[in-house]
Amino acid sequence: IPSRKSKKVHNVYAVLEKGELKGGTSYGVVKKDETDYYSESKWDTKAQTFHGGQEWSSLGNFVEDFSVTTNPLGTPKAALAAAREAVGTIEHYPAADMEPAISHLSAFLADSSDWASIRERLLMGNGASELIDLLVRDIDPGFFAPGGDVTQYKEYERSANAAGHVTTDPGDCRARLTCIVNPNNPTGKYLSIDALKLYIEKNVHDGSHVVVDESMQPWVGPDWRQDSLLNQQHWIECLERERDINVFLMHSWTKIWSCTGLRIGSVLAPSKEAALRLKQKQVPWSVNSMALAFVSEAVKDDQYLQDTWDVTHQWRSYTVQALSERYPSWKIVGEPFLSWIWVDTGSSAQADMAVQLAREAGTPVRSGAPGYHLPTMVRVAVRDPKHVDVLLDAWKPLQIGLD
């Protein structure tokens, strides 16, 4: 919990006690712009996009990382043990065909349906970020359109711009590439499968490509596959045949299985031919031996998923209620099953202070300013209530400005 002995936090207390938080724009040492966040981070502003998850290792009083959207349960134990055991094989190359892990993942995605059809169209990679970049570079440069929400995961736009695509508005008929994140990180907006298909049919134009990122889809619950494009292969084939629209389905597996340090992602192409075209451009051995062993074990852990659905909903409800009681003017959005909470404080000064106080307490959160360009917003991960209480204690000074 931050004390007044810290020079940085002392300044925060001073501003709050003067009542300067409610209005105006001159907040002295605590007023930040996007450049400030980059200068204090490990990201290169000339080449990279800001993401959360970088502060934990530099905090001597680290408690919990609220700046990321990983599973609050932590890494599944059996999968972690498998990865550790695989370290003993690092003198050997990993399997070039990624077997048997890629078949295990295909069966996990298919559930009771024909997993062989998924296997022939599936690629694994060093996190979804590698596959996003690979896919974007495979499409001739043109116009890139994000999904219809106010903001979304920024690696799609970064990769598109780096590959020569020009960002345009959602639904622009010139777009050769459209990327939709569903459920959307960070806003928490979710489109049911019918709504998602309708959006694509109306806003994605003939002869183009669309990537749908369903990395957070497993949090929907036991029926997550049924409300997913995984269950819409006939529709995907019709779009390709009748309108020459190619639909790719992207997954980052580092969130649901809380293994961001390992890097595991997959992309499901609309056809065997599209998958082969991507594979021809992918470097060999993209997924290391530890990650392959991890996946083979993680996909078998049904109890871990059930616990995830139970705990995430409970812990998210606890945090939402606590924030609503303490900060009634804050707007809290997002579906109840999600692993994070998107908060509009209504004030860039309040958001700045919330970020600083959280960092001082060893509970970093994700500011909406860098990358997302939404300075009044803060993203808070769903975590164990005992750690949430540490964050809430750190934020007590913010209540002074709301009295």
Side-chain angles (χ1 to χ4, degrees), residues 3 27 35 67 104 157 200 203 243 332 402:
S3 70
Y27 300 97
T35 304
S67 72
H104 293 159
E157 185 172 10
I200 292 173
N203 295 280
R243 297 181 55 187
I332 299 172
L402 298 176

Side-chain angles (χ1 to χ4, degrees), residues 161-180:
N161 293 160
H165 297 269
V166 178
T167 302
T168 188
D169 295 328
D172 190 327
C173 64
R174 298 173 298 170
R176 294 182 52 83
L177 171 64
T178 299
C179 297
I180 304 167

Side-chain angles (χ1 to χ4, degrees), residues 339-372:
S339 63
W340 74 92
I341 302 163
W342 188 230
V343 181
D344 188 352
T345 67
S347 162
S348 60
Q350 277 192 12
D352 288 342
M353 291 182 184
V355 171
Q356 291 186 50
L357 290 168
R359 184 188 301 116
E360 288 285 335
T363 54
V365 297
R366 169 65 156 98
S367 168
Y372 297 136

